[in-house]
Amino acid sequence: MTRMNAGRFTHRHPGELVVFLIGMRINRPWRPDLWLPVFFAMPRMLAELLREPGSGLLGFRFTVGASGPVIVQYWNSADKLYAYASAPASEHKPAWTDFNRRARKSPGAVGIWHETFQVSRAESMYVSMPAQGLGQATELVPVGPRGDRAKDRLAGAQ
């Protein structure tokens, strides 16, 4: 069972922070042969990144939205994110090649998207919750007297 942290917590991360969102949209649900390979490519990439401590991936969260699955990733460097995406020996290269091959055969069956954000400051609050999101990916710390309000936490964020 996940450990619940009683009280009020926030995250601490003094270095560069990059938030990378990546998702897919299943446009033809009756064709799992076209979208399941895309869906299953991401766990292989995440496992590869987690095995390598210097990869730059701090953590991630999997969610399902109205348009399909989304993974929120936290990185300590935009350069490391882009290096992974372009590394010829990474799991990303065959996954991207396979997606493009399938997309040419059945255009529009499955869509993918991503967004990258370089974050100069971030604020977070977790009350009586297990560590999650940014707090799980970085360092979870108790809220002190100077961080009682969101505005104050964001002003003091690095």
Side-chain angles (χ1 to χ4, degrees), residues 30 41 57-58 69 73 75-76 78-79 85 90 93 99 104 107 113 118 120 129 136 154:
W30 60 91
L57 180 68
L58 297 171
Q73 298 178 10
W75 288 75
N76 67 11
D79 289 340
S90 74
K93 175 78 170 162
F99 172 77
R104 280 190 298 277
W113 62 273
Q118 285 188 297
S120 61
M129 301 260 321
Q136 185 177 34
L154 187 59

Side-chain angles (χ1 to χ4, degrees), residues 43-157:
R44 290 192 303 273
M45 288 184 265
L46 291 170
E48 177 180 58
L49 287 161
L50 291 173
R51 283 192 303 270
E52 178 55 50
S55 70
L57 180 68
L58 297 171
F60 66 91
R61 179 196 316 208
F62 175 80
T63 64
V64 178
S67 295
V70 176
I71 298 176
V72 179
Q73 298 178 10
Y74 303 98
W75 288 75
N76 67 11
S77 162
D79 289 340
K80 289 181 180 180
L81 168 62
Y82 295 137
Y84 176 74
S86 62
S90 74
E91 287 284 343
H92 181 264
K93 175 78 170 162
W96 185 238
T97 300
D98 186 54
F99 172 77
N100 284 310
R101 182 180 53 78
R102 290 172 186 280
R104 280 190 298 277
K105 286 182 180 178
S106 296
V110 61
I112 59 170
W113 62 273
H114 77 262
E115 300 172 351
T116 307
F117 303 91
Q118 285 188 297
V119 181
S120 61
R121 296 186 308 181
E123 182 276 327
S124 62
M125 173 60 71
Y126 312 95
V127 180
S128 300
M129 301 260 321
Q132 66 173 320
L134 188 54
Q136 185 177 34
T138 60
E139 179 184 7
L140 194 64
V141 295
V143 171
R146 300 184 89 184
D148 194 44
R149 297 180 355 179
K151 179 180 174 182
D152 297 334
R153 287 189 304 277
L154 187 59

